Amino acid sequence: TGAKLIVTHSQEELQNAKLRLLWLRNFESVSIYLEKGSARGRARVVVEVVEAKPITTELAYGLFDQDATRGQSLSGRFTHYNLFGSGKIFDARANAISPFSGPTIRQYFAGAQYIDPHLFDSKRNFFTVGASYLNSALTQRDGDRFEHFFREQVSYDVTLGRRLWDFSYVTLGYQHRPVINVPSNARQDDEHFETVDTPRNGAMALGFGWNSEDDPYFPTRGSRL
């Protein structure tokens, strides 16, 4: 597909636009060039792109040796970058870590996320919703004794975002955790550690980014608060 626009931009701006389009997973190739405009001082910018396949899959297997523990890991991912043919994104991933020998290092994780980069066809608003499950266990040697850490969590999250200016955005999100088991160790007055469990079943999150991830389409990295 191609598009022709009558605009006045510098070469640097055109190259920046080309790079951003190249980073999109929606296109295999991007070409931007100038043609003579309708009047002096004007140029016609021609943008030509070749669409890529909307679905990507990943599968990885690995071995690890950490803190006297040897084990294996398996991870997979499925992503659709043009869901419903309207540019929506669905991303699902899972990984499992299990030991062969030594102290326990084990983790199971699964998560899925839906991203609407242009909520209600708005160029400014975007929306994400997701769910995840985590179950992990870790055993560490501390001198002559072993410490055991266990964590289990089921969470659902939703985030609304709005783009500001060219490369900035603000987000407001909430995460609900119907299942949360995250104990931690706290030092007592007698210098001994005691395991405490202070679950928080919900949390609000406010974010601001600049020169950064203004759109879930773009894997750019800038500054985020």
Side-chain angles (χ1 to χ4, degrees), residues 47-66:
V47 182
E48 295 182 348
V49 299
V50 176
E51 295 184 358
K53 295 181 179 179
I55 297 176
T56 62
T57 57
E58 300 175 11
L59 184 64
Y61 177 80
L63 302 173
F64 69 88
D65 185 345
Q66 176 182 342

Side-chain angles (χ1 to χ4, degrees), residues 35 59 61 79 81 84 86 98 126 131 167 173 197 213 215:
E35 291 183 349
L59 184 64
Y61 177 80
T79 308
Y81 290 98
F84 310 127
S86 57
S98 60
F126 58 94
F167 305 114
D197 190 0
E213 301 170 327
D215 191 312

Side-chain angles (χ1 to χ4, degrees), residues 116-130:
D116 189 339
H118 302 99
L119 184 62
F120 303 127
D121 295 325
S122 168
K123 295 182 179 180
R124 290 290 183 181
N125 301 324
F126 58 94
F127 168 79
T128 67
V129 61

Side-chain angles (χ1 to χ4, degrees), residues 51-210:
E51 295 184 358
K53 295 181 179 179
I55 297 176
T56 62
T57 57
E58 300 175 11
L59 184 64
Y61 177 80
L63 302 173
F64 69 88
D65 185 345
Q66 176 182 342
D67 297 330
T69 299
R70 294 178 175 85
Q72 61 184 345
S73 65
L74 176 66
S75 61
R77 184 176 182 181
F78 171 88
T79 308
H80 197 309
Y81 290 98
N82 193 24
L83 196 64
F84 310 127
S86 57
K88 317 305 180 185
I89 302 172
F90 175 77
D91 180 57
R93 64 184 70 189
N95 68 64
I97 299 174
S98 60
F100 292 141
S101 62
T104 300
I105 298 179
R106 175 182 57 78
Q107 175 176 290
Y108 302 114
F109 171 82
Q113 187 178 49
Y114 169 80
I115 302 172
D116 189 339
H118 302 99
L119 184 62
F120 303 127
D121 295 325
S122 168
K123 295 182 179 180
R124 290 290 183 181
N125 301 324
F126 58 94
F127 168 79
T128 67
V129 61
S132 65
Y133 171 75
L134 173 67
N135 184 303
S136 65
L138 174 65
T139 300
Q140 291 181 326
R141 181 187 294 273
D142 184 7
D144 295 330
R145 66 189 183 93
F146 287 93
E147 290 188 353
H148 304 278
F149 302 91
F150 174 78
R151 178 177 182 178
E152 184 179 30
Q153 178 174 305
V154 176
S155 62
Y156 305 96
D157 59 86
V158 58
T159 300
L160 289 172
R162 182 168 177 82
R163 301 179 186 92
L164 307 174
W165 309 295
D166 290 333
F167 305 114
S168 298
Y169 67 94
V170 62
T171 60
L172 176 64
Y174 178 77
Q175 183 180 78
H176 175 59
R177 309 171 186 135
V179 176
I180 179 169
N181 184 356
V182 187
S184 60
N185 290 332
R187 187 186 296 272
Q188 305 302 311
D189 295 337
D190 58 2
E191 299 301 320
H192 287 85
F193 285 93
E194 180 179 334
T195 300
V196 295
D197 190 0
T198 55
R200 295 181 58 190
N201 293 101
M204 298 289 295
L206 178 65
F208 176 69
W210 59 100

Side-chain angles (χ1 to χ4, degrees), residues 4-8 33-46:
K4 293 189 176 182
L5 305 172
I6 300 177
V7 296
T8 55
Y33 57 92
L34 298 178
E35 291 183 349
K36 184 178 180 181
S38 58
R40 183 179 179 84
R42 290 175 175 262
R44 190 181 299 273
V45 180
V46 182

